Amino acid sequence: MTPTRLFSAPDSTAGSLRPDLPYGEVCAIHQPNLFPRLVTLAKLFAADYWIVLDDVQFARRDYQHRARLASLDGSWQPQWLSISTYLPYGRFTSIRGARLADPSRCRRRVVQLLADHYRRSAYWPSFKRGLEPVLAAFESTDRLADVTELSTRLLLEEVGWQGQILHSSDLLAPGERSQRLADLAWLTGATTYLCGTGGMRYLDPAAFRVHSIEVLPFQARGSGIWASAREVSAVHALMLVGSGALGQELEALRGRVLEDDSRSSV
């Protein structure tokens, strides 16, 4: 569900009234990534809704147009799956403005590399069927963000996420980085903002406190499928353990994160 433009957030004052909107209490804001890393998928899964940050500057060194794949038995070095991307406005191009440079070639590369790495998995046939809408997008659009968001939606659906998806480009929230994220969370009625370890390095919690929104650090650490969670696409974990088991892992992590938060606030 993508709302139309709602309204501008007020100036950041402690007396601001919170909008009563039905998206939920826990919010995650993240750029659309191509088959996102497990740590990113876990953060989105833990949220009631995901605001797709699609109107910020595209970054080639990030995961917006690429994903790392690893072999099931660990015998290969992780390999980049990249989508050739054209930036009409150079480095000032936004994520939603980025275009597929050669959609047909990109589609073939996605199919080939995913199959090379995961076709021996017992869970590959089911995943391959679910992949069809993502592959079809290469034939119907040249917008990178459309394809990458679909790839994330596919993974969220595989693990049984029941949340909603909004888009920052549909919301009026100008301002510098921390203030804008805080206003986006406020506009959609959040009481808790999930922040990854990267965001915690630059985020100013004061911008959120103005809106009475708690910033909750989100970390995913451990062994097994979590050992490479910050580097490798969540497709790898899905092909190792299957959608049911991975969904249970994500639900357990979500419970721990929110439970620790409730304990710390007592």
Side-chain angles (χ1 to χ4, degrees), residues 114-218:
L114 286 175
D116 286 348
H117 285 79
Y118 302 121
R119 62 187 166 199
R120 293 179 180 83
S121 167
Y123 309 107
W124 170 252
S126 175
F127 179 74
K128 185 180 179 181
R129 289 192 294 272
L131 190 61
E132 286 304 318
V134 181
L135 300 179
F138 285 101
E139 302 172 357
S140 61
T141 181
D142 67 346
R143 285 168 48 98
L144 173 72
D146 291 346
V147 172
T148 54
E149 181 183 328
L150 274 173
S151 76
T152 305
R153 284 176 179 258
L154 167 61
L155 293 177
L156 288 170
E157 290 172 2
E158 287 284 329
V159 295
W161 186 61
Q162 298 297 314
Q164 298 187 67
I165 296 178
L166 313 176
H167 297 81
S168 62
S169 56
D170 291 324
L171 303 166
L172 287 173
E176 59 84 25
R177 187 156 51 175
S178 292
Q179 188 62 60
R180 181 158 193 253
L181 293 177
D183 288 348
L184 284 170
W186 178 85
L187 277 170
T188 54
T191 59
T192 299
Y193 170 68
L194 292 179
C195 186
T197 53
M200 290 302 297
R201 289 195 288 267
Y202 69 79
L203 200 74
D204 179 10
F208 290 81
R209 285 198 294 269
V210 167
H211 295 310
S212 299
I213 298 173
E214 179 183 8
V215 176
L216 181 58
F218 186 89

Side-chain angles (χ1 to χ4, degrees), residues 30-198:
H30 204 278
Q31 303 96 330
N33 285 179
L34 179 65
F35 298 109
R37 297 168 293 163
L38 182 56
V39 67
T40 301
L41 186 72
K43 183 179 74 169
L44 300 183
F45 183 89
D48 295 316
Y49 60 100
W50 167 32
I51 299 178
V52 181
L53 195 62
D54 62 350
D55 56 355
V56 297
Q57 186 175 328
F58 176 85
R60 284 199 181 276
R61 292 183 178 273
D62 211 331
Y63 291 86
Q64 295 151 20
H65 70 306
R66 59 182 186 167
R68 269 199 182 102
L69 306 180
S71 62
L72 291 172
D73 60 6
S75 60
W76 305 350
Q77 287 293 323
Q79 180 179 5
W80 283 111
L81 166 59
S82 301
I83 291 181
S84 299
T85 305
Y86 167 64
L87 305 181
Y89 304 103
R91 64 187 183 89
F92 299 105
T93 303
S94 68
I95 292 174
R96 64 176 177 165
R99 294 294 186 263
L100 302 173
D102 187 342
S104 296
R105 183 172 179 272
C106 290
R107 183 186 187 280
R108 291 195 299 271
R109 181 167 175 79
V110 168
V111 172
Q112 177 184 343
L113 287 187
L114 286 175
D116 286 348
H117 285 79
Y118 302 121
R119 62 187 166 199
R120 293 179 180 83
S121 167
Y123 309 107
W124 170 252
S126 175
F127 179 74
K128 185 180 179 181
R129 289 192 294 272
L131 190 61
E132 286 304 318
V134 181
L135 300 179
F138 285 101
E139 302 172 357
S140 61
T141 181
D142 67 346
R143 285 168 48 98
L144 173 72
D146 291 346
V147 172
T148 54
E149 181 183 328
L150 274 173
S151 76
T152 305
R153 284 176 179 258
L154 167 61
L155 293 177
L156 288 170
E157 290 172 2
E158 287 284 329
V159 295
W161 186 61
Q162 298 297 314
Q164 298 187 67
I165 296 178
L166 313 176
H167 297 81
S168 62
S169 56
D170 291 324
L171 303 166
L172 287 173
E176 59 84 25
R177 187 156 51 175
S178 292
Q179 188 62 60
R180 181 158 193 253
L181 293 177
D183 288 348
L184 284 170
W186 178 85
L187 277 170
T188 54
T191 59
T192 299
Y193 170 68
L194 292 179
C195 186
T197 53

